[in-house]
């Protein structure tokens, strides 16, 4: 943030995109996803204005990762493809690895474990397509989750062995908790060991913070308990995960956890947007609500920390998806769709 403030104060055009990239990545690692998106979108515009293609690739990769939490698969794929296109031409291994991680995380959120494992396998295993060291270590927990679900226990164990070395170095505060979660997944057939590892992981998350990763551990623990026919305890953990996902804006993951809760016989408070609004992505829905309240595009952009051009682009898509032709029609549709919720 100091580098960003200095770049703004000195009107250092070439330095601004890089400062925004570093700040966006830092916010992403800290779990502050809305801030990461805002800085990455500003960095995207600044990098385009200054012709910094390498920085542009990294900003697209960060936006793909953020989108894997709260947007549709098309948005994730669009940013990932932009990052990979530049990365392939300029040899940017880190940006390419981040983009693949984002695609795999989007697959996992939607229950496509085999696809996620296939994306991440080449990055975490030995071979010519291996990903950037630090980034692929961050992606290992995703790979282990996907690989175990896909039945590739050998691949998951090999990845965990290397991840253990990474966790022991202490570079990443979340790694020890994630490592315990990985061991729990590998021990799924041993109830005593699996329960102990899940419990250890949650305890470590409490000490290190990070809503999203803690929610993922609670969610996986809850899923394991439900399959072990322990629905009462599963509900407690799944509700905890649901609240945490909602708190950090991970709406795609919240929807998955809500479905898992329903499978335990519970009726979660989380609901999809009503009626035709369910067709919108989370960002489109936020814009639709702001416009329905009477905000101009510039006011919406200010509220959501995006550019007016981004708002205009999303609003055109909202009109097309909902079949409306004006802001007045949109406001009426939002009011009709949500009136039953307001009076319940």
């Amino acid at each position: 943030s100091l580098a960003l403030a200095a770049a703004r104060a000195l009107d250092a055009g070439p330095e601004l995109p890089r400062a925004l990239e570093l700040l966006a990545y830092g916010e992403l690692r800290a779990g502050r996803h809305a801030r990461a998106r805002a800085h990455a979108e500003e960095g995207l515009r600044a990098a385009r204005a200054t012709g910094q293609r390498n920085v542009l690739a990294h900003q697209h990769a960060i936006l793909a990762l953020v989108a894997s939490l709260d947007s549709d698969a098309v948005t994730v794929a669009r940013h990932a493809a932009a990052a990979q296109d530049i990365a392939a031409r300029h040899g940017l291994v880190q940006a390419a690895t981040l983009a693949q991680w984002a695609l795999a995380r989007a697959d996992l959120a939607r229950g496509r474990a085999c696809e996620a494992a296939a994306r991440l396998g080449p990055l975490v295993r030995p071979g010519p397509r291996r990903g950037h060291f630090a980034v692929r270590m961050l992606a290992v927990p995703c790979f282990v989750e996907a690989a175990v679900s896909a039945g590739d226990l050998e691949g998951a164990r090999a990845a965990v062995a290397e991840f253990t070395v990474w966790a022991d170095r202490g570079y990443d505060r979340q790694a020890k908790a994630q490592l315990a979660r990985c061991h729990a997944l590998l021990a799924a057939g041993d109830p005593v060991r699996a329960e102990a590892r899940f419990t250890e992981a949650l305890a470590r998350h409490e000490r290190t913070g990070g809503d999203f990763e803690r929610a993922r551990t609670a969610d996986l623990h809850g899923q394991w308990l439900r399959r072990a026919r322990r629905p009462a305890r599963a509900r407690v953990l799944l509700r905890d995960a649901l609240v945490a996902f909602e708190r950090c804006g991970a709406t795609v993951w919240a929807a998955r956890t809500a479905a898992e809760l329903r499978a335990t016989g519970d009726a979660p408070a989380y609901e999809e947007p009503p009626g035709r609004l369910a067709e919108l992505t989370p960002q489109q829905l936020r814009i639709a609500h702001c416009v329905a309240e009477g905000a101009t595009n510039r006011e919406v952009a200010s509220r959501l920390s995006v550019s007016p051009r981004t708002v205009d682009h999303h609003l055109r898509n909202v009109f097309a998806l909902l079949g409306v032709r004006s802001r007045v029609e949109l406001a009426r549709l939002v009011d009709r769709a949500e009136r039953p919720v307001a009076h319940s």
Side-chain angles (χ1 to χ4, degrees):
S1 58
L2 290 175
L4 177 60
R8 291 192 197 283
L10 298 173
D11 194 23
E15 299 301 324
L16 182 61
R18 176 61 174 163
L20 285 163
E21 175 198 332
L22 294 174
L23 187 54
Y25 189 69
E27 299 286 17
L28 183 70
R29 291 296 302 138
R32 294 186 287 267
H33 303 110
R35 293 184 187 179
R37 173 185 278 117
H39 291 311
E41 286 180 338
E42 184 183 355
L44 206 64
R45 295 190 295 272
R48 282 178 180 145
T50 55
Q52 297 183 55
R53 302 285 291 172
N54 290 8
V55 175
L56 197 64
H58 284 274
Q59 300 289 23
H60 273 299
I62 291 168
L63 287 169
L65 275 167
V66 175
S68 71
L69 302 183
D70 67 0
S71 301
D72 58 39
V74 174
T75 302
V76 181
R78 175 168 54 83
H79 284 299
Q84 289 174 318
D85 179 57
I86 300 169
R89 285 184 276 127
H90 297 270
L92 306 176
V93 179
Q94 184 176 355
T97 307
L98 285 169
Q100 279 297 321
W101 181 23
L103 290 167
R105 202 157 73 171
D107 283 334
L108 265 181
R110 291 164 176 82
R112 298 195 290 262
C114 292
E115 290 87 342
R119 288 188 193 281
L120 292 177
L123 300 180
V124 302
R125 297 191 191 106
R129 291 193 292 162
R130 206 169 206 199
H132 183 276
F133 175 74
V135 176
R136 68 181 171 79
M137 285 294 101
L138 299 179
V140 163
C142 279
F143 171 72
V144 171
E145 179 183 340
V148 168
S149 183
D152 181 14
L153 297 184
E154 183 179 347
R157 289 191 184 98
V160 167
E162 188 174 12
F163 191 66
T164 301
V165 177
W166 166 261
D168 286 341
R169 290 177 179 174
Y171 297 143
D172 182 1
R173 295 177 69 244
Q174 296 281 352
K176 289 283 189 181
Q178 291 172 316
L179 178 61
R181 182 175 78 206
C182 290
H183 281 300
L185 292 171
L186 285 169
D190 181 343
V192 174
R193 187 160 175 256
E195 179 68 36
R197 287 298 200 169
F198 273 127
T199 301
E200 177 193 345
L202 288 171
R204 288 186 179 277
H205 282 305
E206 290 295 336
R207 294 195 292 271
T208 58
D211 275 345
F212 180 66
E213 287 301 327
R214 188 189 184 284
R216 287 184 68 182
T217 297
D219 181 47
L220 288 166
H221 192 182
Q223 289 182 45
W224 176 77
L225 286 167
R226 184 179 76 79
R227 286 156 181 74
R229 300 186 179 181
R230 296 167 60 186
R233 174 63 176 148
R235 288 186 199 110
V236 172
L237 286 159
L238 290 169
R239 288 190 200 110
D240 185 22
L242 179 60
V243 170
F245 281 139
E246 289 175 335
R247 188 164 53 238
C248 65
T251 52
V252 177
W253 295 78
R256 186 184 79 159
T257 303
E260 192 72 27
L261 252 177
R262 284 191 289 272
T264 70
D266 197 12
Y270 178 84
E271 295 179 359
E272 293 287 344
R276 294 164 66 190
L277 299 186
E279 300 172 22
L280 305 182
T281 68
Q283 182 76 321
Q284 290 170 343
L285 187 62
R286 285 190 286 268
I287 289 172
H289 277 118
C290 290
V291 170
E293 291 167 4
T296 66
N297 283 15
R298 190 166 293 279
E299 288 168 341
V300 176
S302 177
R303 284 190 206 177
L304 302 182
S305 299
V306 298
S307 70
R309 183 180 298 180
T310 297
V311 173
D312 183 62
H313 168 75
H314 282 304
L315 194 55
R316 285 198 302 271
N317 289 336
V318 168
F319 278 26
L321 285 166
L322 300 182
V324 298
R325 292 173 293 180
S326 71
R327 301 168 88 91
V328 172
E329 286 184 25
L330 175 60
R332 287 173 181 163
L333 188 151
V334 170
D335 180 63
R336 285 197 305 271
E338 301 198 337
R339 192 177 300 147
V341 175
H343 294 300
S344 61

